[in-house]
Amino acid sequence: MSISAAVHPLRVAIIGSGPAGVYAADILTKSQEVRGGDVEVSIDLFESYPAPYGLIRYGVAPDHPRIKGIVNALHKVLDRGDIRFLGNVTYGRDLTLSDIRHLYDAVIFSTGAIKDSGLDIPGVELEGSFGGADFVSWYDGHPDVPREWPLEAKHVAVIGNGNVALDVARMLSKHAEDLLVTEIADNVYRGLKSSPVTDVHIFGRRGPAQVKFTPLELRELSHSKDVDIVLYPEDFVFDAASDEAIRSNNQVKTMVNTLTNWLVEEPSHADKPASRRLHLHFLHSPVEIVGTDGKVSGMKFERNELDGTGRARGTGEIVHYPVQAVYRAIGYFGSELPEVGFDAARGVIPNEAGRVLDADGKPVPGIYATGWIKRGPVGLIGSTKGDALETIGCLLEDRLSLPRAEKPEEQAVIDLLESRGVQYTSWEGWLKLDAHEETLGAEYVRADDGTGLGEDTAAKRPRVKVVPREDMISISRGTSAEISPRNTPGE
């Protein structure tokens, strides 16, 4: 039976509460069909973490200035009350696809990409060789990663020329005290505070005109206190394609100008060097991670040259850098989901304009995808909104032929989760956790307790992120005695 015969609102489950999922829900509720009264919708937004926002909370460096704006926008959408948030619910474990098909007319997967892309070179398995995404999860206080990180290296290599590589390098080189204005968790602060790092090297395969980061992320490097930026004249080589990109693309022009200015200004800090240095290397392809006694002790690269089209080719010259840790930040990769097709080469769910395809390449009725799991880990917020608009358009086109949910009542999924002992969290629970983290920041006192964190100094912070999953759940569900009420105007 199709949804056209149904008397219930169009029931939609969205798996993943990052920007892609929230934008999809928002666009659906604001669509002409819904606002005009042709379609009534009921949306449940599921998240595997107890808190919302996905990679905005657990995948973006805490010192990014634009995070707050994105979080505020997502908060406004979910705070309206017309989209139900259900956190700490893992698809494939707590809810299966058959469960969802039984309870909803359609499902949209917006699970993003959280794993590192592979780097197939010798030595990648050595102790001290890390995935950049894993490090990001640690410094963002992900509840399911170890609390400690082995920050023992003085010299570090970061492989990649994208925004994640810059984030990783900036967090490694930045002094921990300068991060107390962010929401970093206490265990992250302690770890970074103890780091002996003096030099962080970022390596990219192509030249300054082909970098994949953006001007904002590049400029943030110069905001770190007591950190010198070091560049190398031999890396500033431009071919015909580079010159054309600089001439025709303002973003490329801005970044090349910024890098060139830093190169020229570099001698000005030579007389009074900082305690840490951030090196930017171009035209380097990774060849091998070198090890001694099973641990990283160096990195070999082949020097490249541009071929006239902006692409790089090897010169045969091998250079070696003595480093004790390597971070691979060459991109994210999607994860396969149970009972859903997966393109293992691209790390996405096979789809056509957001309609998920089966093994024969035909759309599966009622199953959709949006965001990075749909298109791959490329593009910024604008691309994510465009993705969601396309997917929601397809869903609305299909609405009269969608398989009808057998138990569409909103309470049905709650009853199922409770029968399975799932400690799901709600939007109201997130508001409690949000207020609790803000209270931790307001009450923060840095004390000399033998850990070397500093003198007895009261220092208000915007918030302190709660890391343990069990604490997040207990605070959200109101079972913790440590919950602090949210302050409201006038109180």
Side-chain angles (χ1 to χ4, degrees):
M1 185 178 295
S2 72
I3 193 68
S4 60
V7 295
H8 63 263
L10 177 63
R11 286 283 283 149
V12 179
I14 300 178
I15 312 299
S17 71
V22 176
Y23 291 150
D26 188 41
I27 289 169
L28 179 55
T29 61
K30 293 178 178 177
S31 66
Q32 182 177 348
E33 291 84 349
V34 172
R35 300 186 76 168
D38 294 335
V39 179
E40 184 181 357
V41 296
S42 172
I43 304 171
D44 285 341
L45 185 66
F46 292 94
E47 174 57 60
S48 61
Y49 308 133
Y53 308 142
L55 279 182
I56 292 298
R57 181 172 168 96
Y58 293 120
V60 181
D63 59 344
H64 266 309
R66 63 182 180 182
I67 292 179
K68 188 173 179 60
I70 298 173
V71 168
N72 287 343
L74 300 180
H75 179 99
K76 288 179 181 178
V77 173
L78 296 181
D79 204 41
R80 294 196 310 248
D82 56 348
I83 301 163
R84 185 166 63 172
F85 171 77
L86 293 170
N88 199 44
V89 179
T90 298
Y91 168 76
R93 183 190 68 193
D94 301 322
L95 276 183
T96 66
L97 184 59
S98 58
D99 293 330
I100 292 172
R101 302 308 297 267
H102 186 65
L103 300 169
Y104 298 89
D105 305 307
V107 56
I108 302 172
F109 289 98
S110 59
T111 51
I114 59 173
K115 297 193 302 184
D116 285 288
S117 293
L119 180 63
D120 187 17
I121 62 173
V124 74
E125 76 291 343
L126 288 168
E127 183 180 340
S129 171
F130 305 107
D134 293 334
F135 183 58
V136 171
S137 292
W138 175 76
Y139 68 57
D140 273 330
H142 193 294
D144 300 330
V145 302
R147 300 287 184 268
E148 307 303 322
W149 190 271
L151 292 163
E152 302 164 352
K154 290 186 176 182
H155 302 91
V156 178
V158 178
I159 313 303
N161 255 180
N163 288 337
V164 175
L166 291 192
D167 284 351
V168 167
R170 194 179 63 255
M171 290 294 291
L172 285 167
S173 59
K174 205 165 190 174
H175 291 276
E177 286 81 2
D178 295 334
L179 291 164
L180 289 176
V181 296
T182 76
E183 62 181 30
I184 63 165
D186 285 337
N187 67 294
V188 177
Y189 170 75
R190 290 193 296 270
L192 293 172
K193 176 71 176 177
S194 66
S195 171
V197 69
T198 60
D199 292 82
V200 177
H201 300 259
I202 306 175
F203 295 93
R205 290 189 307 108
R206 297 190 289 171
Q210 288 81 38
V211 295
K212 293 298 184 181
F213 38 76
T214 50
L216 175 62
E217 278 72 17
L218 178 62
R219 286 194 295 267
E220 284 180 6
L221 294 184
S222 64
H223 298 164
S224 297
K225 298 176 183 177
D226 192 33
V227 179
D228 286 340
I229 298 175
V230 183
L231 299 108
Y232 298 86
E234 61 270 25
D235 291 343
F236 282 73
V237 178
F238 303 93
D239 62 358
S242 302
D243 293 337
E244 174 60 22
I246 294 168
R247 186 192 65 79
S248 61
N249 188 309
N250 285 333
Q251 178 167 299
V252 173
K253 181 180 179 180
T254 297
M255 288 190 292
V256 170
N257 285 343
T258 298
L259 290 166
T260 304
N261 288 339
W262 287 350
L263 178 65
V264 173
E265 295 167 359
E266 187 180 328
S268 64
H269 56 63
D271 293 335
K272 191 177 181 181
S275 66
R276 293 180 177 179
R277 288 160 294 281
L278 184 56
H279 306 255
L280 296 174
H281 302 270
F282 305 103
L283 299 171
H284 283 66
S285 282
V287 172
E288 180 184 359
I289 302 174
V290 179
T292 302
D293 297 328
K295 297 182 178 181
V296 171
S297 60
M299 184 90 191
K300 289 182 180 180
F301 295 86
E302 181 178 15
R303 288 285 300 178
N304 293 331
E305 62 184 7
L306 298 176
D307 66 358
T309 68
R311 291 189 290 268
R313 62 191 175 201
T315 65
E317 179 188 355
I318 303 297
V319 291
H320 177 271
Y321 293 85
V323 297
Q324 299 84 48
V326 174
Y327 289 78
R328 310 178 304 276
I330 57 175
Y332 283 97
F333 200 78
S335 300
E336 186 172 2
L337 298 168
E339 301 181 82
V340 183
F342 188 67
D343 184 337
R346 298 177 55 223
V348 299
I349 296 175
N351 71 92
E352 186 175 294
R355 294 183 176 97
V356 172
L357 305 177
D358 62 17
D360 296 323
K362 297 179 180 179
V364 182
I367 304 183
Y368 303 86
T370 191
W372 281 3
I373 199 63
K374 170 188 175 183
R375 72 177 188 272
V378 293
L380 302 174
I381 293 298
S383 300
T384 301
K385 289 182 177 179
D387 255 356
L389 186 63
E390 180 183 60
T391 296
I392 294 302
C394 291
L395 189 156
L396 289 170
E397 285 179 12
D398 300 341
R399 67 185 185 276
L400 298 181
S401 59
L402 293 174
R404 181 179 178 180
E406 296 179 22
K407 295 198 69 175
E409 301 83 10
E410 292 186 351
Q411 184 61 31
V413 67
I414 300 299
D415 292 342
L416 179 62
L417 293 173
E418 290 181 346
S419 71
R420 293 176 176 172
V422 179
Q423 293 185 300
Y424 64 88
T425 60
S426 64
W427 179 248
E428 292 73 20
W430 160 245
L431 296 180
K432 294 177 183 177
L433 178 58
D434 187 29
H436 181 76
E437 292 186 344
E438 290 178 354
T439 299
L440 291 178
E443 296 176 348
Y444 177 78
V445 176
R446 185 175 61 190
D448 186 2
D449 58 0
T451 63
L453 301 186
E455 301 175 353
D456 273 336
T457 307
K460 183 177 179 180
R461 296 170 60 184
R463 67 195 303 123
V464 178
K465 188 176 287 185
V466 174
V467 178
R469 180 180 284 263
E470 59 272 19
D471 291 352
M472 297 173 67
I473 295 169
S474 65
I475 294 167
S476 299
R477 289 174 64 89
T479 59
S480 170
E482 299 178 359
I483 298 174
S484 299
R486 172 179 286 272
N487 293 327
T488 56
E491 291 186 347

